[in-house]
């Protein structure tokens, strides 16, 4: 079974530039998450999708971050404009929608973003 | 006060040692308790998953939950160099949102 795919693996940009990350979840997983992991910290949820709809985006800085999940499969996360404090690993995860399986997240390898 | 507290370490042990990793939490609404393992430059992978208070064993790994004390633990027996990684505790709220601990960096020396 193929895992969660993310690209690019690494990205270096200057502050005030824009950047986009792509995620393809495990086939059949209706729930998709974007997490931000700052060095030395645990992952923090940015946004959760269930199929096409947003379930939780309470911690997404909406003035600069946006995310979409068209057709309930792939997703993109965009930052515009980037700030120095956005330097982190951006992790995509997916899970099944039903019962206790919903809490079992499968993560991609992440995109490491450096903002200079 | 953070919802989930985890000692970041780092923790260094000799091969074959028993490792104990711990997290405390403050929110009584947490329903499921998990441990994830994260190797360098990789995403977290689910290691253990529990719901009720008590112990759950899987090979060399034992997860322990004490809801009355709001405390969870992960024990690794006969630790191996391949166990060297960052271990993250995670807890889920109703609705499925996960809250992660800071992670404990473990190094097992041959």
């Amino acid at each position: 079974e193929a895992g969660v795919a993310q690209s690019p693996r690494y990205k270096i940009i200057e502050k005030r530039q824009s950047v986009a990350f792509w995620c393809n979840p495990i086939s059949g997983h209706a729930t998709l998450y974007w997490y931000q992991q700052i060095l030395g910290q645990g992952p923090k949820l940015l946004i959760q999708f269930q199929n096409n709809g947003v379930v939780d985006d309470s911690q997404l800085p909406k003035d600069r971050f946006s995310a979409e999940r068209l057709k309930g499969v792939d997703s993109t996360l965009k930052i515009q404009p980037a700030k120095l404090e956005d330097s982190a690993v951006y992790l995509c995860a997916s899970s099944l929608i039903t019962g206790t399986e919903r809490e079992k997240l499968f993560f991609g390898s992440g995109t490491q973003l450096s903002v200079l | 006060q953070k919802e989930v507290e985890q000692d970041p370490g780092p923790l260094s042990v000799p091969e074959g040692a028993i490792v104990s990793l711990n997290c405390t939490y403050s929110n009584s609404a947490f329903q499921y308790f998990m441990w994830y393992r994260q190797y360098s430059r990789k995403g977290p992978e689910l290691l253990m998953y529990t719901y009720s208070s008590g112990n759950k064993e899987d090979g060399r790994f034992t997860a322990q939950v004490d809801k009355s004390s709001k405390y969870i633990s992960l024990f690794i027996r006969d630790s191996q160099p391949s166990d060297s990684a960052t271990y993250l505790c995670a807890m889920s709220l109703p609705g499925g949102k996960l809250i992660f601990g800071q992670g404990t960096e473990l190094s097992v020396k041959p």
Side-chain angles (χ1 to χ4, degrees), chain A residues 12-19 79-83 86 115:
Chain A
I12 301 173
I13 62 172
E14 297 195 349
K15 60 183 179 182
R16 292 188 289 273
Q17 286 187 324
S18 62
V19 64
I79 307 175
Q80 181 178 15
K83 293 186 175 181
D86 298 331
V115 182

Side-chain angles (χ1 to χ4, degrees), chain A residues 14-30:
Chain A
E14 297 195 349
K15 60 183 179 182
R16 292 188 289 273
Q17 286 187 324
S18 62
V19 64
F21 314 125
W22 173 84
C23 173
N24 180 245
I26 293 173
S27 177
H29 281 193

